[in-house]
Amino acid sequence: MTAVNMEFAWAALGGDPALTERVSTVVRDGALEARLPVRELARACVAACALAAAELGARRAERANVPGVRVDDGAVATAFVSERHLLVDGRAPVTFAPLSRFWRTADGWVRTHANYPHHRERLLSALKLPEDPGAVAAALAERSAGEIEEAVYGAGGLAVALRTPEEWARHEQGVEVAARPLVERQRPGGVRARRPAAPSGGPLLPAAGLRVLDLTRVIAGPVATRTLALLGADVLRVDSPRLPELMDQHADTGFGKRSAKVGLGTDRRTFEELLATADVVVTGYRPGALDRFGLSPEALAERRPGLVVAQLSAWGAYGPWAERRGFDSLVQVATGIAAIEGSGQEPGALPAQALDHGTGYLLAAAVLRSLTEQLADGETRFVRLALARTAGWLLEGRAAGEAGNAVHHGAGAAAYDEAGAAVYDEAGAAVYDGPDAWLAERDSELGRLRYALPPVSFAGGPVDWARPPRPWGTDRARWT
């Protein structure tokens, strides 16, 4: 069975195994406690991302040695619940709407997702009910979970029946997902139209001078592009004017980025001008949803040879659920994670939306590794990740006998030597006693923000984003 560790993630990204020696870990007991090896998954995803960043920075600067990478369980645990730590002028955001929850059914449980107004309307339309949690609970208690799942999805809403890992393993979508690698990587060919010049003066951030077109929503995709912004990329998030983002969600994942509104059906010229000089396009919509706009990976690469196209989905771009909408909470329910983390009487959840955050850091790592590979050949790269495949990796760790918080690599506090390698204090594991050491505050146009600092850390790397989030959709749709 597959171990949940950084070495496996790094191999899935096509990285040089020798570079894993550059990674050290500050282990903290009590971080992301769960039945499943959530801490190990979170640590592995962040470590792989930090190593990919350090590698790209070294190669672009033509340095022989890759800087040392330090992964601190405290920083990782804090960042993996960044949406819970966010405060805007002292106000905590609401992360789940009243109709986004578990419901008892006639034969088990179902979980719904209705944070966005259009998803709430479709859910209620499918159930033919008013917006009354009591009425929804009474109606769902009389129907089977499978029937509810199909009815709501048929109406364009989101509901998933609770399954065990064994049930998911037999499900047609589960079989399809399990057959895929953690990170799907493809090199279709094509020569880069231009190589962005490295900015002159001062230390070079790994992604400095690179332009990233961000077509993502919710958590995983924006976490990936937020990380690329941290590393120096010019990240422009583009949304349809018809689909406003939840403002608190945007505040949490908008650090370092700019945000513009562009209607793909009404302002195509603007989008094509952005694409013409982009280096990376990251998409987080359902597989095929952007194809009707001519935005499939193949179509994008044809118009912009040498592009890196990174795709994120909930269920994967294959199988009977390929075109279904999905979120972290629903993937936990379908794959059996909620059954494992439950009490026996009721389903449960991971201590963080770890599928979202973990996949986000892996997606950023896949982009960074693609950019490193392009330094040699300049060819187009496609990378694809799915929340359900990340869930499968977590469950494989359980099957391999890894208990939650059981695998420790390295110990104590680390620092960097003059060569940029991580050096250990062998004092043993520390204790995670809260997030305070990894929280910061700053003013922004949105108000005074308290937020989680980035967990990606390597010698000479950034410790915070260059700018706070901007109000959604208020930037001009052009590169800086």
Side-chain angles (χ1 to χ4, degrees):
M1 292 293 180
T2 302
V4 179
N5 57 35
M6 190 274 293
E7 290 78 7
F8 178 79
W10 188 243
L13 293 162
D16 178 358
L19 291 182
T20 61
E21 297 179 359
R22 306 299 290 170
V23 179
S24 60
T25 306
V26 180
V27 175
R28 296 185 187 274
D29 291 335
L32 296 175
E33 290 186 313
R35 293 190 173 95
L36 290 165
V38 178
R39 181 177 63 175
E40 286 66 37
L41 179 137
R43 179 194 296 157
C45 294
V46 171
C49 184
L51 185 56
E55 178 193 30
L56 177 60
R59 300 295 178 253
R60 293 187 75 197
E62 300 182 343
R63 296 195 302 266
N65 294 324
V66 172
V69 169
R70 181 192 185 206
V71 184
D72 190 312
D73 282 349
V76 172
T78 303
F80 265 58
V81 289
S82 61
E83 65 276 7
R84 300 182 202 169
H85 292 308
L86 177 72
L87 294 178
V88 182
D89 287 333
R91 176 187 59 80
V94 176
T95 54
F96 282 100
L99 296 183
S100 296
R101 48 166 280 195
F102 284 107
W103 309 87
R104 280 191 179 275
T105 67
D107 60 352
W109 294 86
V110 71
R111 180 151 191 167
T112 56
H113 195 287
N115 285 4
Y116 286 100
H118 57 291
H119 291 158
R120 181 179 66 247
E121 291 167 7
R122 292 168 185 171
L123 171 67
L124 295 172
S125 175
L127 300 176
K128 297 180 175 56
L129 292 171
E131 190 174 344
D132 177 359
V136 173
L140 296 187
E142 298 178 353
R143 302 172 68 175
S144 72
E147 176 192 357
I148 296 164
E149 178 181 272
E150 291 304 314
V152 174
Y153 266 109
L158 295 113
V160 170
L162 179 69
R163 292 173 173 84
T164 65
E166 294 74 22
E167 289 170 334
W168 178 246
R170 295 190 298 267
H171 190 278
E172 188 175 353
Q173 188 65 29
V175 172
E176 289 275 1
V177 170
R180 306 289 171 143
L182 179 63
V183 181
E184 297 182 69
R185 302 161 58 236
Q186 183 181 356
R187 188 173 65 184
V191 179
R192 175 180 285 278
R194 68 180 181 90
R195 292 184 182 276
S200 60
L204 175 68
L205 290 175
L210 298 171
R211 291 172 169 175
V212 177
L213 197 52
D214 179 2
L215 307 178
T216 70
R217 293 174 70 81
V218 195
I219 297 177
V223 163
T225 52
R226 179 180 71 182
T227 303
L228 296 174
L230 170 76
L231 299 169
D234 180 9
V235 179
L236 179 64
R237 173 167 165 170
V238 172
D239 286 281
S240 165
R242 298 184 298 104
L243 291 174
E245 181 59 285
L246 302 176
M247 293 310 298
D248 289 335
Q249 190 164 268
H250 174 71
D252 176 51
T253 58
F255 281 87
K257 299 188 273 189
R258 292 177 300 116
S259 170
K261 292 180 283 189
V262 177
L264 295 178
T266 58
D267 193 7
R268 190 53 178 268
R269 179 179 177 180
T270 296
F271 180 85
E272 293 298 329
E273 289 174 349
L274 293 170
L275 176 64
T277 56
D279 300 291
V280 179
V281 175
V282 184
T283 69
Y285 292 83
R286 288 177 299 133
L290 297 177
D291 291 7
R292 63 192 176 94
F293 295 105
L295 301 182
S296 68
E298 295 77 12
L300 289 168
E302 183 177 350
R303 301 201 297 282
R304 176 61 167 154
L307 194 67
V308 174
V309 182
Q311 291 180 287
L312 171 76
S313 64
W315 309 107
Y318 36 75
W321 284 19
E323 296 184 0
R324 290 197 176 193
R325 298 171 177 84
F327 295 95
D328 180 307
S329 58
L330 302 182
V331 176
Q332 290 189 41
V333 173
T335 59
I337 291 173
I340 292 172
E341 295 293 341
S343 64
Q345 301 298 318
E346 296 183 355
L350 298 176
Q353 294 192 68
L355 307 180
D356 262 334
H357 286 271
T359 307
Y361 288 108
L362 283 179
L363 188 67
V367 169
L368 295 166
R369 288 247 58 256
S370 295
L371 293 167
T372 296
E373 292 174 348
Q374 279 190 337
L375 295 176
D377 60 33
E379 293 188 0
T380 299
R381 296 295 198 285
F382 298 160
V383 294
R384 296 182 180 90
L385 288 91
L387 302 185
R389 185 61 189 88
T390 304
W393 182 33
L394 181 62
L395 290 164
E396 287 163 15
R398 168 179 174 260
E402 297 174 5
N405 296 349
V407 182
H408 295 180
H409 300 288
Y416 298 116
D417 64 18
E418 292 182 358
V423 182
Y424 269 126
D425 165 11
E426 298 290 347
V431 175
Y432 181 62
D433 56 2
D436 290 351
W438 299 280
L439 296 176
E441 292 192 13
R442 69 198 301 177
D443 291 319
S444 76
E445 295 176 66
L446 302 174
R448 181 72 176 173
L449 302 179
R450 187 195 73 175
Y451 60 99
L453 289 166
V456 173
S457 175
F458 54 93
V463 297
D464 200 349
W465 289 275
R467 64 175 70 90
R470 297 259 299 142
W472 179 80
T474 57
D475 289 292
R476 295 183 65 182
R478 70 178 188 180
W479 298 114
T480 57

